[in-house]
């Protein structure tokens, strides 16, 4: 074992041993480190307003309207371009957000704590389907839903989460993988477990039965309601593996709708970015590839932590997104073992005789084999506010791994 | 107006056999004059240039690019040919959507088949050493078929292997038999009590075939690669292989085959051989003629090491030593009247070989009969053909030499080149006798006689039409268990009018006698059409290998995987691609970061 192998073994051990527990729900301004009143967080690597894609711009506008900082798109744009409000990646603040991932100061965020190593991670609330902020919609309909979620649902949810005494998301995911989820595109089972766990506490914490029913229904109708705490859990696990001197483990993969970016455990906070690709997948009726935005969102944190497309073998129900048969789903997971350094102890796949999921992407293996990580993803319309138009498979551009490898060799004198 | 069109596919990689088969398929299309399908390395660009297929865009392509060039009667035919490339490629494998996973790396293949003790490597030379290092790192023995591996890499790999108690056969090792399973180009032979170490591919094949024919059998037949016995490499693998055979309780007799090694290396090997405590038959081809003679004459009981002159004699003696019958085999009952092969004084022998060692042995044995035999691979100091593509006087040409095979399939796989040469020789009034070797076994052409026999009849007819007599001698190196069927091959060749032999030495002595003095009776006789073998099996207590615990990982030519499967061995094919897409800088970084 050479020094890189040793460093990677330490890093992946930390990723696997991290035990993320959902401990609460708080206001972004109060709980996210470095958050301030004039800051918006977004998915992916750093980006300017000028280079931002349609869905991200729409989400920024929507968030500023939600915050009461702007009443329309032009005012919102002026706030950003003047520098009055700044943009920073969620990833710079221990946070992650699906699709546009825009998180503003007064939004409610899940608080996930890694009980093994003590680090925390955060993610916003999931709005469900249809016209939603994370796809860049910012109409009054979207605003009304956001206001209800924050005024009515968030306080009850916060009390319910506290009342659970902490929900072990790693255990929840492990169970869901045995129920046909892969943790990224398919979160049906995990969302039901999540809702089931919270329901009695929501019933107790809600001011009245109608409110309780509305909240439980909002969670229950949304097969992705658990995605945000799952992403925060994956972030907590990935962060535990970040910053290990001499490690080539990839600890961040994220997209902002324009660029795909990665970070590497042993290369501190440096991003390696290149143009994100358009996912290859199935489109909802009425949409086609020309309508698609480039790949967007922090949800690739799931693959980074060893689930999502890496656990595809566990989710044969969604193989149509990767164009094939259950055997293809198994082969998808088998391929990811080629570029990872370990098999997960907590996440196992029944279809592979309970083999642990492939975890810990080794930069060297990616460059050597030419196999880039697989990512399962939703596909956003390129125009703000249209929403999700499909789902499919995408891979990061190879060049960013090669660039990172060269940087690693320079940094460590290889 | 002939048109040359090229298509470049960046970063695509296919094994060379696949590419060469595609090249042939394209060249066979209507209106197509010539085709080239190669990875765009400098060497391949030179090849394309020689064929007039180097277009400016091909000139600009990178080594990791796949290039497909077609020259056709007109642009339409060229485009039609290029349009068929994908279809022709797809034909090689059924594309069921439910295929088992094909591992992309040796590491994951090793996890899929942990019992695999060997890794077969046939990727392009510049990547081969890297794959071999990985294999050794995983604790696997290596069968390194690839050539163009540097001597430095060879030495480093072999020393690393020895330190780990492993074996590296090769580079440029074409054949071996391990635990009853043939690797690369190998014949199906009985298992038994004779072990072989050979620095020559066809040498190993001819000896194991001879042992099988005589009723003996093989424990292990290790190849070393042609450079192993050089002073630089110091016979690291030959020594390790000898040690394995010495320690193997099943092995009772050892055969050592090589082109002449350097005296220092030879001495070291022979001293090791003596220490083995087992009888060792040595064929240092043409090296120790005097001693070979002495060995023949010596009392067999007293000598641990015995030298022989030919591959067939090595097989004879090994089988004699391996059975209770310790008398040397004699050829006294085998007579062949060489007058059947007599030719006119103004005519010459033309030997068209696919096996390098057989060609070499032919040159050696013919020294007794003919003062001058030209070759593209002459004996030391012997006359070299001015042009390998044109015979001069008596000629033995090795069609497996690089000048014929770079960018083409080996003549054991593809008869095309040899058939064209055969027709050219038949048309030459100077040609009186054609000599061919036909090597059977796994990896070789599936039915060589089906293509060679018609060409032989045609050659004889061509000569007859011109009022000349043309004799054709074919030496079939193969066993009754080989996939081609020895009998069927002999029948087809005999029916075409060839004099068929199964012993190479007999064939050459018959040819030599005929050329030297017309009618004379020599040891040996040709095969009869019903394929009766020239000697009766001496022992029958061994069986052909059927099921076997041998398991291997194959990186490179897929035909090796098919061959292992058909022999009942466990195998996983690695879906190999050049590391880092063939980018030299990244490969260098990765190598340092893996150390």
């Amino acid at each position: 074992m050479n020094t890189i192998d040793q460093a990677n073994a330490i890093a992946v051990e930390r990723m696997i041993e991290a035990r993320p527990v959902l401990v609460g729900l708080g206001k972004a301004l109060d709980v996210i480190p470095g958050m301030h009143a004039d800051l918006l967080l977004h998915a992916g690597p750093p980006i300017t307003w000028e280079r931002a894609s349609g869905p991200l711009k729409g989400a920024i506008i929507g968030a500023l309207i939600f915050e009461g900082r702007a009443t329309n798109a032009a005012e919102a744009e002026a706030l950003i371009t003047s520098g009055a409000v700044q943009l920073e990646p969620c990833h710079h603040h221990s946070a992650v957000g699906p699709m546009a991932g825009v998180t503003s100061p007064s939004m409610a965020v899940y608080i996930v704590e890694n009980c093994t190593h003590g680090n925390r991670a955060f993610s916003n609330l999931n709005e469900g389907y249809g016209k939603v902020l994370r796809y860049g919609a910012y109409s009054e309909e979207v605003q009304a839903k956001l206001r209800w979620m924050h005024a009515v649902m968030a306080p009850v949810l916060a009390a319910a989460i506290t009342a659970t005494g902490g929900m072990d998301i790693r255990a929840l995911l492990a169970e869901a993988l045995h129920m046909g989820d892969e943790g990224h595109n398919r979160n049906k089972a995990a969302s039901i477990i999540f809702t089931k766990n919270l329901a009695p506490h929501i019933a107790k914490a809600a001011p009245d039965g109608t409110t309780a029913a509305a909240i439980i229904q909002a969670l229950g109708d949304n097969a992705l309601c658990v995605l945000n705490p799952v992403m925060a859990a994956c972030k907590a696990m990935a962060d535990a593996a970040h910053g290990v001197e001499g490690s080539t483990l990839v600890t961040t993969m994220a997209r902002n709708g324009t660029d795909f970016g990665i970070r590497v455990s042993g290369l501190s906070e440096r991003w390696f970015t290149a143009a994100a690709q358009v996912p290859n997948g199935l489109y909802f009726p009425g949409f086609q590839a020309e309508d698609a935005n480039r790949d967007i969102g922090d949800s690739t944190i799931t693959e980074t932590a060893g689930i999502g497309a890496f656990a595809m073998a566990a989710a044969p129900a969604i193989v149509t997104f990767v164009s094939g048969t259950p055997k293809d789903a198994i082969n998808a997971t088998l391929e990811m073992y080629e570029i990872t350094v370990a098999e997960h102890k907590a996440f196992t796949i029944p279809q592979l005789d309970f083999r642990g999921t492939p975890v810990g992407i080794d930069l060297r293996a990616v460059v050597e084999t030419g196999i880039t990580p697989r990512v399962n993803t939703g596909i956003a319309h390129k125009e703000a506010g249209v929403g999700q138009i499909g789902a499919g498979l995408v891979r990061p551009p190879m060049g960013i791994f090669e660039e990172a490898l060269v940087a690693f060799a320079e940094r460590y004198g290889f | 107006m002939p048109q040359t069109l090229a298509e470049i596919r960046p970063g695509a990689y296919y094994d060379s056999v696949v590419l060469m088969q595609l090249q042939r398929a394209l060249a066979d299309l209507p209106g197509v004059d010539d085709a080239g399908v190669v990875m765009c390395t400098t060497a391949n660009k030179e090849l394309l240039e020689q064929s007039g297929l180097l277009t400016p865009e091909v000139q600009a392509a990178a080594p990791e690019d796949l290039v497909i060039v077609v020259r056709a009667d007109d642009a339409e035919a060229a485009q039609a040919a290029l349009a068929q490339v994908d279809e022709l490629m797809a034909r090689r494998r059924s594309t069921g959507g439910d295929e088992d996973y094909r591992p992309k790396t040796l590491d994951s293949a090793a996890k899929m088949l942990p019992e695999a003790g060997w890794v077969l490597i046939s990727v392009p030379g510049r990547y081969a050493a890297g794959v071999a290092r990985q294999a050794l790192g995983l604790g696997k023995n290596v069968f390194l078929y690839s050539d163009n591996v540097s001597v430095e890499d060879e030495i480093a790999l072999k020393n690393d292997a020895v330190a780990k108690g492993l074996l590296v056969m090769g580079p440029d090792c074409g054949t071996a038999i391990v635990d009853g399973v043939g690797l690369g180009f190998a014949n199906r032979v009985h298992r038994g009590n004779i072990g072989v170490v050979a620095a020559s591919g066809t040498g190993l094949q001819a000896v194991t075939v001879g042992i099988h024919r005589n009723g003996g059998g093989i424990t292990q037949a290790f190849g070393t690669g042609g450079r192993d016995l050089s002073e630089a490499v110091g016979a690291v693998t030959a020594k390790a292989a000898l040690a394995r055979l010495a320690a193997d309780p099943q092995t009772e007799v050892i055969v050592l085959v090589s082109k002449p090694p350097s005296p220092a290396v030879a001495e070291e090997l022979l001293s090791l051989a003596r220490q083995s405590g087992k009888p060792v038959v040595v064929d240092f081809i043409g090296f120790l003629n005097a001693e070979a003679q002495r060995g023949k004459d010596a009392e067999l009981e007293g000598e641990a090491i015995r030298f022989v002159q030919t591959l067939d004699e090595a097989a004879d003696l090994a089988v004699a030593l391996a059975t209770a019958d310790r008398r040397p085999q004699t050829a006294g009952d085998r007579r062949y009247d060489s007058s059947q092969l007599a030719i006119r004084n103004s005519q010459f022998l033309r030997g068209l070989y696919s096996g390098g060692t057989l060609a070499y042995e032919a040159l050696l044995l013919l020294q007794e009969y003919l003062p001058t035999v030209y070759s593209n691979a002459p004996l030391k100091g012997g006359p070299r053909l001015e042009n390998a593509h044109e015979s001069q006087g008596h000629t033995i040409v090795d069609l497996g030499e690089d000048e014929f095979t770079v960018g083409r399939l080996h003549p054991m796989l593809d008869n095309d080149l040899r058939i064209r040469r055969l027709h050219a020789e038949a048309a030459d009034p100077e040609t009186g006798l054609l000599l061919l070797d036909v090597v059977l076994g796994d990896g070789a052409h599936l039915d060589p006689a089906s293509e060679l026999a018609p060409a032989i009849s045609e050659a004889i007819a061509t000569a007859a039409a011109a009022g000349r007599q043309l004799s054709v001698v074919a030496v079939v190196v193969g066993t009754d268990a080989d996939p081609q069927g020895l009998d069927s091959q002999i029948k087809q060749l005999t029916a075409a009018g060839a004099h068929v032999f199964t012993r190479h030495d007999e064939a050459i002595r018959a040819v030599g006698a005929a050329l030297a003095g017309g009618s004379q009776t020599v040891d040996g006789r040709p095969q009869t059409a019903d394929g009766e073998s020239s000697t009766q099996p001496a022992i029958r207590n061994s069986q052909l290998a059927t099921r076997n615990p041998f398991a291997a990982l194959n990186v490179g030519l897929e035909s090796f995987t098919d061959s292992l499967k058909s022999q009942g061995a466990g195998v996983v094919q690695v879906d190999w691609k050049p590391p880092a897409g063939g980018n030299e800088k990244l490969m260098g970084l990765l190598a340092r970061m893996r150390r």
Side-chain angles (χ1 to χ4, degrees), chain B residues 301-532:
Chain B
E301 270 75 13
E303 287 272 346
I305 297 181
R306 296 174 178 84
F307 291 98
V308 293
Q309 254 185 318
T310 73
L311 298 164
D312 291 302
E313 285 168 14
D316 293 344
L317 185 53
V319 173
L321 290 165
T323 58
D325 177 13
R326 295 265 160 161
R327 284 169 296 129
Q329 291 257 328
T330 57
D333 58 340
R334 286 173 278 129
R335 299 268 165 198
Y336 181 66
D337 179 1
S338 63
S339 63
Q340 292 181 51
L341 300 176
I343 61 175
R344 281 190 222 128
N345 281 337
S346 57
Q347 288 188 314
F348 298 102
L349 161 71
R350 301 286 153 84
L352 310 179
Y353 274 83
S354 62
T357 301
L358 294 176
Y360 191 84
E361 186 177 84
L363 287 169
L364 276 167
L365 295 178
L366 288 170
Q367 283 181 309
E368 285 180 37
Y369 305 93
L370 300 171
T372 308
V373 181
Y374 291 90
S375 178
N376 62 329
L379 302 175
K380 209 170 177 185
R384 184 178 287 275
L385 283 172
E386 279 169 34
N387 174 357
H389 298 271
E390 273 176 44
S391 300
Q392 292 170 249
H394 296 301
T395 290
I396 296 285
V397 61
D398 175 8
L399 297 170
E401 279 285 303
D402 286 350
E403 59 218 309
F404 295 107
T405 57
V406 175
R408 287 187 190 282
L409 290 173
H410 193 276
M412 283 184 200
L413 270 171
D414 183 346
N415 299 305
D416 195 43
L417 176 71
R418 190 144 65 152
I419 287 170
R420 271 191 274 137
R421 180 70 175 247
L422 200 146
H423 289 315
E425 299 292 354
D428 180 352
E430 289 195 344
T431 306
L433 205 164
L434 279 170
L435 172 61
L436 309 172
D437 62 340
V438 182
V439 180
L440 310 182
D442 282 292
H445 191 281
L446 280 176
D447 190 358
S450 72
E451 296 180 10
L452 292 171
I456 288 169
S457 330
E458 201 184 321
I460 293 172
T462 303
R468 290 183 282 122
Q469 196 203 327
L470 176 65
S471 300
V472 179
V473 171
V475 185
V476 182
V477 178
T479 74
D480 48 10
D482 278 333
Q484 293 86 353
L486 182 61
D487 283 0
S488 137
Q489 297 299 305
I490 291 174
K491 264 182 198 151
Q492 292 181 65
L493 294 166
T494 308
H499 303 264
V500 182
F501 291 75
T502 53
R503 287 181 67 107
H504 185 245
D505 55 2
E506 284 183 4
I508 299 305
R509 283 174 179 142
V511 165
L515 295 172
S519 180
Q520 127 179 29
T521 302
V522 297
D523 293 348
R525 60 168 181 168
Q527 284 296 312
T528 52
D530 60 357
E532 183 196 331

Side-chain angles (χ1 to χ4, degrees), chain B residues 76-89:
Chain B
E76 212 169 279
Q79 271 156 1
L82 285 180
Q84 287 197 48
V85 164
D86 286 314
E87 195 200 325
L88 291 169
M89 296 258 246

Side-chain angles (χ1 to χ4, degrees), chain B residues 203-387:
Chain B
L204 187 147
Q205 287 190 266
V207 167
T208 55
V209 163
I211 288 169
H212 175 96
R213 188 178 52 226
N214 289 343
I218 299 296
T219 51
Q220 314 283 356
F222 295 118
T224 67
R227 270 193 321 226
D228 190 66
L229 270 60
S230 68
E231 222 148 301
V233 181
V236 179
T237 294
K239 287 192 269 183
L242 257 182
R244 280 197 186 197
L245 294 178
D248 172 25
Q250 306 295 319
T251 301
E252 292 173 23
V253 176
I254 297 171
V255 180
L256 187 55
V257 179
S258 163
K259 284 192 188 173
S262 77
V265 171
E267 199 39 59
E268 218 180 334
L269 265 181
L270 293 177
S271 133
L272 260 182
R274 276 186 202 100
Q275 288 164 29
S276 72
K278 299 178 180 180
V280 180
V281 178
V282 179
D283 184 8
F284 283 154
I285 308 163
F287 178 54
L288 298 167
N289 274 334
E291 278 174 89
Q293 201 53 48
R294 191 161 55 83
K296 267 183 151 181
D297 298 337
E299 273 297 308
L300 288 177
E301 270 75 13
E303 287 272 346
I305 297 181
R306 296 174 178 84
F307 291 98
V308 293
Q309 254 185 318
T310 73
L311 298 164
D312 291 302
E313 285 168 14
D316 293 344
L317 185 53
V319 173
L321 290 165
T323 58
D325 177 13
R326 295 265 160 161
R327 284 169 296 129
Q329 291 257 328
T330 57
D333 58 340
R334 286 173 278 129
R335 299 268 165 198
Y336 181 66
D337 179 1
S338 63
S339 63
Q340 292 181 51
L341 300 176
I343 61 175
R344 281 190 222 128
N345 281 337
S346 57
Q347 288 188 314
F348 298 102
L349 161 71
R350 301 286 153 84
L352 310 179
Y353 274 83
S354 62
T357 301
L358 294 176
Y360 191 84
E361 186 177 84
L363 287 169
L364 276 167
L365 295 178
L366 288 170
Q367 283 181 309
E368 285 180 37
Y369 305 93
L370 300 171
T372 308
V373 181
Y374 291 90
S375 178
N376 62 329
L379 302 175
K380 209 170 177 185
R384 184 178 287 275
L385 283 172
E386 279 169 34
N387 174 357

Side-chain angles (χ1 to χ4, degrees), chain A residues 2-5 248 325 327-328 331 334-336 338 343 355 362 364-365 367-371 402 405-406 408-409 414, chain B residues 97-109 111 134 577-581 583 585-586 589-590 592-595:
Chain A
N2 68 23
T3 54
I4 295 177
D5 293 333
T248 53
T325 63
K327 190 75 161 271
D328 291 332
N331 289 351
L334 291 176
E335 186 188 41
M336 292 301 98
E338 312 266 15
E343 298 181 6
R355 189 173 175 186
D362 183 353
R364 295 174 299 172
V367 175
E368 185 158 12
T369 61
I371 301 170
E402 294 175 350
L405 187 88
V406 171
F408 189 95
F414 284 101
Chain B
D98 219 28
E99 269 183 46
D100 281 334
Y101 182 69
R102 292 161 62 87
K104 310 292 190 296
T105 60
L106 204 51
D107 279 0
S108 62
K111 280 182 192 147
Q134 283 177 34
K577 297 268 182 293
N583 180 316
K585 181 189 172 190
L586 294 173
L589 286 182
L590 284 167
R592 290 195 285 281
M593 290 168 70
R594 288 279 184 207
R595 226 169 263 151

